[in-house]
Amino acid sequence: MTSEHQANPLSFSESSGQPSVDYFSWSVRFHVIGLGFAFYTGVLLSSHLLSTIFSKTYCSLLAKEKVFWNLAATRAAFGLQSTVAGLRALTEDCAVSRDRVRGQEDWSWFNVLTATGFFLFENVALHTSSVVFRSFDLPLAAHHFFALSGFAGAVVWDSLGHYLPMVTLLLEMSTPFTCISWMLLKAGWAQSLLWRANQWVMVHMFHCRMVLTYYMWWVTWSNWKELNMYVALPQRLLFFTGLALLTVIINPIWTHKKTMQLLNPVDWNFSNKSVPLNGQTVDQSTKTHTS
């Protein structure tokens, strides 16, 4: 970046807001990214400690399943933050929504930076788990790669507006329901009304994710000239590649699997195992560890 660009980071139209100059300090950016990484690491550890104390189901799980349990809880917490940020961008009359290519505000910068910290945490956790347990989830790994690359790109190329990043965060709206679904499944509540109601909502959230991706294509088409003018080519390539994979492959696969799980409650994440009946847990000795 040139010194002129650093002195005047954004050349917004009059209708756009001006975020605090603090967010254009790399020291502040790294601190907030680190805060996001540390916070969600803390959520993971808190989930482990609380579950160890209060959940018999958790104590009966394999080590790999315990990691998945805690990651699900951490993703659910991030999903709540992301849903608030995404809905704010969609519904609030603010600089971010008025200028969908260059609009930024303090709250959107905070979410971009903490999301970068979260996706960094997610990639570290995912690949560490993959090495330790000799497993690999390609759709999830691809999702996390493009998420981290996209949000890191929004930090590096800081003239990029935050409307599309905030709407992208709204895709995480399904994670709290995914967390509840899997935990109840492992606890043996797959035949309960609570699990089925949550599953219905979760399937609906995955359909909403698909609608949201179509909306994002419409936004980019409507602002195509401005995107080509103000968004760096590497960032555009990352965004459109990730969005295409999400629209054509990842979202349909996940939506199909969650719908099938509603009709046939099995643990898709661990060898399609049948789940225990309500209130029962599976004895540790009967489990098989899959790579």
Side-chain angles (χ1 to χ4, degrees):
M1 299 179 189
T2 64
S3 58
E4 179 182 354
H5 179 76
Q6 291 175 335
N8 184 19
L10 298 173
S11 300
F12 289 146
S13 61
E14 292 182 359
S15 63
S16 297
Q18 182 75 20
S20 169
V21 293
D22 290 340
Y23 283 111
F24 296 98
S25 161
W26 280 102
S27 175
V28 171
R29 291 179 183 179
F30 284 133
H31 274 89
V32 180
I33 291 172
L35 174 66
F37 186 96
F39 176 80
Y40 286 107
T41 301
V43 172
L44 179 84
L45 296 175
S46 298
S47 172
H48 169 68
L49 292 175
L50 293 174
S51 299
T52 300
I53 296 171
F54 297 110
S55 176
K56 292 182 179 179
T57 299
Y58 180 79
C59 294
S60 72
L61 298 177
L62 291 167
K64 183 178 180 179
E65 293 176 314
K66 288 181 179 179
V67 171
F68 190 89
W69 174 294
N70 294 318
L71 284 174
T74 308
R75 291 165 186 157
F78 179 69
L80 295 175
Q81 174 189 343
S82 300
T83 300
V84 172
L87 289 176
R88 182 172 182 179
L90 282 177
T91 61
E92 186 177 285
D93 181 19
C94 58
V96 172
S97 61
R98 286 194 297 269
D99 187 341
R100 296 178 178 179
V101 177
R102 294 187 294 163
Q104 302 178 355
E105 291 193 45
D106 284 352
W107 68 268
S108 65
W109 261 113
F110 177 81
N111 280 284
V112 165
L113 295 171
T114 52
T116 303
F118 170 78
F119 288 122
L120 178 61
F121 158 81
E122 269 278 27
N123 277 271
V124 170
L126 176 66
H127 295 299
T128 301
S129 175
S130 296
V131 171
V132 172
F133 298 113
R134 301 179 187 177
S135 62
F136 187 68
D137 186 333
L138 181 59
L140 190 61
H143 170 66
H144 288 162
F145 168 78
F146 282 102
L148 176 59
S149 300
F151 277 85
V155 177
V156 174
W157 290 290
D158 51 19
S159 62
L160 170 69
H162 291 165
Y163 184 76
L164 285 172
M166 293 302 99
V167 175
T168 301
L169 285 180
L170 189 54
L171 293 170
E172 300 292 326
M173 60 186 163
S174 60
T175 53
F177 304 99
T178 303
C179 171
I180 294 170
S181 171
W182 193 78
M183 288 183 176
L184 290 177
L185 198 70
K186 301 307 290 185
W189 288 85
Q191 302 301 323
S192 67
L193 178 61
L194 175 61
W195 185 84
R196 291 188 179 278
N198 179 78
Q199 199 75 7
W200 273 107
V201 176
M202 182 179 65
V203 170
H204 180 66
M205 290 297 102
F206 273 93
H207 282 90
C208 289
R209 282 170 57 101
M210 296 183 73
V211 173
L212 197 61
T213 57
Y214 303 149
Y215 170 72
M216 292 167 72
W217 284 112
W218 179 82
V219 170
T220 56
W221 176 258
S222 301
N223 297 274
W224 188 257
K225 182 178 179 180
E226 291 83 359
L227 285 170
N228 288 331
M229 184 180 301
Y230 297 112
V231 181
L233 178 60
Q235 184 70 355
R236 276 181 280 148
L237 291 175
L238 278 171
F239 175 78
F240 286 116
T241 304
L243 185 59
L245 288 173
L246 195 64
T247 306
V248 178
I249 299 175
I250 299 176
N251 262 347
I253 289 175
W254 285 348
T255 304
H256 171 73
K257 290 180 70 172
K258 299 305 180 183
T259 304
M260 293 302 295
Q261 190 179 50
L262 172 63
L263 303 174
N264 180 29
V266 295
D267 185 359
W268 294 103
N269 299 287
F270 296 94
S271 298
N272 299 346
K273 294 189 299 184
S274 297
V275 298
L277 298 176
N278 287 10
Q280 295 182 350
T281 57
V282 179
D283 186 80
Q284 187 77 15
S285 62
T286 65
K287 296 180 180 178
T288 58
H289 183 270
T290 60
S291 60

